[in-house]
Structure formats: structure tokens, C-alpha cells
Amino acid sequence: SMSEADDTYGTGGIVGSNKKTINCCVNKGTISGIGGSGTYVGGIAGYNVVDDSSISNSYNLAAVTGKGFVGGIVGNLWNGSVTNCYNTADVTSTGRVTTKASIAGAIVGSQAYGTTITNCHYLSTITLKKDNAATTLVGVGSGKSETNTYSRSADVFKSGIVARLLNGGDGTTEQPLGTWGQKLGTDNYP
């Protein structure tokens, strides 16, 4: 399925504007943000709005496209946090919207100062575009740094390493009672 919206404040696979907690969610439908007045588009949420808004233990499996700030998990991380998430799909910002530059990131489009990103992973073969042209693949399009976002090959995802990392382990050992699971040999992703 495809989610297409014209929303001033955000377009996302789960919610447009996140003001609370998103935990254990997945988006499998193509996201297309077509708003003209200021667009934030993300695979899970378009916009993380308030100080304690959070996205955790969630992932995106489908292409995300929009104008302005676009991210595989969240387009505009204005406040709050993104923790233990991953994205395996292409992210495209087709161009600027009014005062918003064309910014794209595999995890977060634009990251504001004071926000946190922890233990997030993205598929190393996805295509990232800003101004509708291919650009260097990064976890964070514009923000503090790439710290805590990690590019992973399909083989690493398939091996179970990412599931173990998402559960708080070192990638080699299982964590008891972890949120993430993966049937090795069958599941390509957690």
C-alpha cells in the first residue's frame, strides 16, 4: 500500500507529527509526502515535535519520498530521540520547500541540536537523493553527526548481527528477553 499526504506538519508511515512515544512499529508501505507548505517526511514519523517524543524499536521497509526534510525513520528530529531503529529502503528529497532545504538521511533527515540518535542501522545499498539527485549515503542528512548510525550490508543484516545489536548486545551474543528476533536462514532482516 502507499501513504500519500498533503500535511503541513509531517507525513509518516505511522504518524505525521509525533508528540509522544512510538515503540515497536513497522512501515511496509511506500511514503510520498506531497505537501507544498513545508514538508517533513519519514518512514515512521514525519516530525518529532516535543522534548519527550521518542521513536524506538521500529523499522522502515519501503521507499520514502518528499520535499524538504526526508528520513528513513523521521524527516525532522526537532526534539526527542530515535533509538534502536533501522531502515532498508531508498530515501528521496525531491527539492526544497519554501525555507526548508532539500535534505535526506537514511535514518534522520534533519537533526536539531539537543536531540539524540542511538543504535540505528541502515542498508548499505539503498539510494539516497537530495534535490532529486543521488548523493552520498549518510544516516543523518543534516545535523550533529553520523555517530550512532551505521551502514550495514545485506549479509550483515541477514546474519543476525543487527538483531543482536538492536537488542543491546555486542552483535555476537544473544540478549535474553530482547525486543528483536530473527529466524536465521529464513529472515533477511530482524
Side-chain angles (χ1 to χ4, degrees):
S1 70
M2 180 174 172
S3 172
E4 188 171 278
D6 184 351
D7 184 337
T8 301
Y9 299 107
T11 302
I14 304 301
V15 65
S17 295
N18 178 30
K19 297 179 182 177
K20 295 290 181 187
T21 300
I22 297 173
N23 187 39
C24 297
C25 290
V26 58
N27 175 59
K28 296 180 180 180
T30 301
I31 306 296
S32 179
I34 59 172
S37 58
T39 304
Y40 309 133
V41 183
I44 301 298
Y47 189 19
N48 239 36
V49 184
V50 298
D51 286 345
D52 60 352
S53 56
S54 65
I55 302 170
S56 58
N57 300 309
S58 298
Y59 60 102
N60 177 60
L61 300 176
V64 182
T65 302
K67 298 177 190 172
F69 302 168
V70 185
I73 300 298
V74 61
N76 186 2
L77 183 59
W78 181 248
N79 278 301
S81 62
V82 177
T83 307
N84 299 335
C85 293
Y86 75 85
N87 173 45
T88 63
D90 295 343
V91 178
T92 301
S93 176
T94 59
R96 68 181 304 115
V97 179
T98 60
T99 62
K100 308 292 186 280
S102 180
I103 296 172
I107 301 295
V108 172
S110 177
Q111 179 189 12
Y113 184 79
T115 61
T116 57
I117 300 171
T118 307
N119 195 28
C120 292
H121 308 266
Y122 56 92
L123 186 60
S124 62
T125 54
I126 65 174
T127 299
L128 193 66
K129 292 181 181 179
K130 59 183 181 181
D131 289 317
N132 216 28
T135 188
T136 304
L137 183 59
V138 291
V140 180
S142 174
K144 295 191 303 185
S145 74
E146 283 295 288
T147 305
N148 302 322
T149 65
Y150 307 96
S151 175
R152 306 291 187 192
S153 70
D155 287 343
V156 169
F157 268 102
K158 193 171 185 173
S159 72
I161 290 172
V162 173
R164 293 180 192 116
L165 291 167
L166 288 167
N167 277 330
D170 62 6
T172 60
T173 56
E174 299 295 333
Q175 292 290 95
L177 306 176
T179 301
W180 297 90
Q182 183 173 1
K183 186 173 182 182
L184 298 181
T186 302
D187 298 339
N188 288 330
Y189 303 102

